Amino acid sequence: MKRNRVLWLLGMLICFVPNGYLSAADLDCLKRIDKIAGSVRKDVVLYSDEFKVMSDNPWARNSESTCKGALQRAESYYQRQVDDKSVCELGSSYVDSQVVQLYKNAGSTCRSEYDTLVNRLSPEDRQIALDRFARKQAMQH
């Protein structure tokens, strides 16, 4: 009997919670994802700037495209999940994890593309590029 009352109350709560209402947990989830996404976006801008500086390198344009494509996939997936109200909702931990992982993969892809590109440079040019990137990165943080 008590169980039925609890279920009835839970059902009523679900029916009467206004659309668009987010619990504190949902807001924390969105803040966490937005923080990760923001950090990755900043990193992508840094890498993209570096690829543009090396525009005379035949691989730089391809690396920049790969990097930006990885971020775009994360952004698109996140936006689709937000539009479908499938992220940071009750029972959405799998989707939430997927969103975070796509952003982290975008950051890793950019870093890998940059490392590969820099490793193809002569030792002198490599050191110049690494120093320039380290300065930009230090200014960002």
Side-chain angles (χ1 to χ4, degrees):
M1 184 74 162
K2 188 174 184 176
R3 181 172 176 245
N4 288 340
R5 274 192 197 156
V6 170
L7 290 175
W8 181 82
L9 283 172
L10 185 59
M12 294 306 289
L13 180 64
I14 290 170
C15 290
F16 291 107
V17 170
N19 282 343
Y21 172 79
L22 290 174
S23 71
D26 297 336
L27 290 175
D28 287 345
C29 173
L30 288 171
K31 285 179 187 177
R32 182 177 66 88
I33 291 174
D34 285 341
K35 182 178 178 182
I36 292 167
S39 175
V40 169
R41 286 183 199 112
K42 286 180 186 178
D43 288 346
V44 168
V45 168
L46 280 177
Y47 289 116
S48 183
D49 287 348
E50 282 299 300
F51 294 137
K52 287 176 184 167
V53 168
M54 295 186 257
S55 62
D56 58 330
N57 186 311
W59 295 288
R61 205 171 307 147
N62 186 44
S63 293
E64 182 181 14
S65 178
T66 301
C67 174
K68 285 185 172 182
L71 178 62
Q72 184 57 43
R73 279 189 296 282
E75 301 276 32
S76 294
Y77 183 77
Y78 184 31
Q79 190 57 53
R80 271 195 318 270
Q81 300 313 314
V82 168
D83 291 346
D84 292 344
K85 295 180 178 26
S86 301
V87 69
C88 294
E89 298 286 332
L90 183 64
S92 69
S93 62
Y94 176 77
V95 171
D96 303 345
S97 296
Q98 289 295 103
V99 169
V100 168
Q101 192 58 47
L102 280 170
Y103 276 110
K104 287 182 178 181
N105 286 349
S108 295
T109 297
C110 292
R111 187 171 35 260
S112 175
E113 287 294 320
Y114 179 75
D115 290 345
T116 299
L117 184 62
V118 167
N119 285 333
R120 290 179 174 162
L121 299 174
S122 68
E124 299 84 27
D125 289 341
R126 180 180 314 130
Q127 193 58 50
I128 291 168
L130 291 172
D131 290 345
R132 183 180 53 238
F133 186 77
R135 281 191 307 276
K136 287 180 181 178
Q137 201 171 31
M139 288 173 37
Q140 179 186 8
H141 299 287

